[in-house]
């Protein structure tokens, strides 16, 4: 979480200045973060959600990994955002399972581990 919040803060400061960062981060909290599933859920005040949305799309790197951030859902209810995250993780599990069928034995172990980790993330999101 700390890595994600630092990247968000740097993006906001770079694109919207210190005042923008102050305004956004007074009401922002990361409610859920799972790096395995590549999903996070954040609560942001309504008046700053467009700044938050813009800031996350400018993030291109976490640690040393290239990333592309996109918004899956914007909602008043965290339940709706959790549902969108759940659907996203289910789609990723299906994709990994499909890749498992297509790849040679050497990569199957790696993909099996990824599928298992994603399925654990699914269980976490469902509860």
């Amino acid at each position: 979480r700390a890595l994600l919040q630092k990247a968000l803060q740097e993006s906001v400061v770079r694109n919207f200045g210190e005042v923008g960062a102050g305004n956004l981060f007074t009401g922002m909290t990361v409610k859920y973060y799972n790096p395995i599933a590549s999903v996070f859920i954040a609560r942001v005040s309504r008046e700053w959600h467009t700044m938050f949305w813009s800031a996350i799309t400018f993030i291109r790197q976490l640690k040393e990994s290239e990333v592309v951030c996109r918004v899956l859902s914007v909602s008043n209810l965290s339940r709706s955002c959790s549902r969108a995250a759940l659907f996203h993780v289910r789609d990723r599990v299906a994709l990994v399972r499909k890749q498992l069928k297509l790849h040679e034995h050497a990569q199957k172990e790696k993909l099996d581990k990824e599928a298992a980790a994603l399925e654990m993330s699914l269980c976490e999101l469902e509860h």
Side-chain angles (χ1 to χ4, degrees), residues 97-113:
R97 292 272 177 228
K98 185 177 178 182
Q99 288 175 338
L100 265 170
K101 292 177 184 175
L102 299 175
H103 283 78
E104 55 206 48
H105 185 70
Q107 289 186 330
K108 281 192 176 191
E109 188 176 323
K110 178 185 172 193
L111 289 170
D112 256 341
K113 286 180 183 177

Side-chain angles (χ1 to χ4, degrees), residues 32 37-42 70-75 77-92 121-122 125-126:
Y32 176 80
S38 302
V39 170
F40 77 94
I41 297 173
R70 62 189 176 121
V71 175
L72 298 175
S73 175
V74 175
S75 175
L77 303 173
S78 61
R79 182 178 24 168
S80 298
C81 291
S82 295
R83 192 175 304 126
L86 184 66
F87 290 137
H88 173 73
V89 173
R90 281 185 184 154
D91 288 347
R92 293 233 6 237
S121 299
L122 258 174
L125 274 168
E126 287 174 335

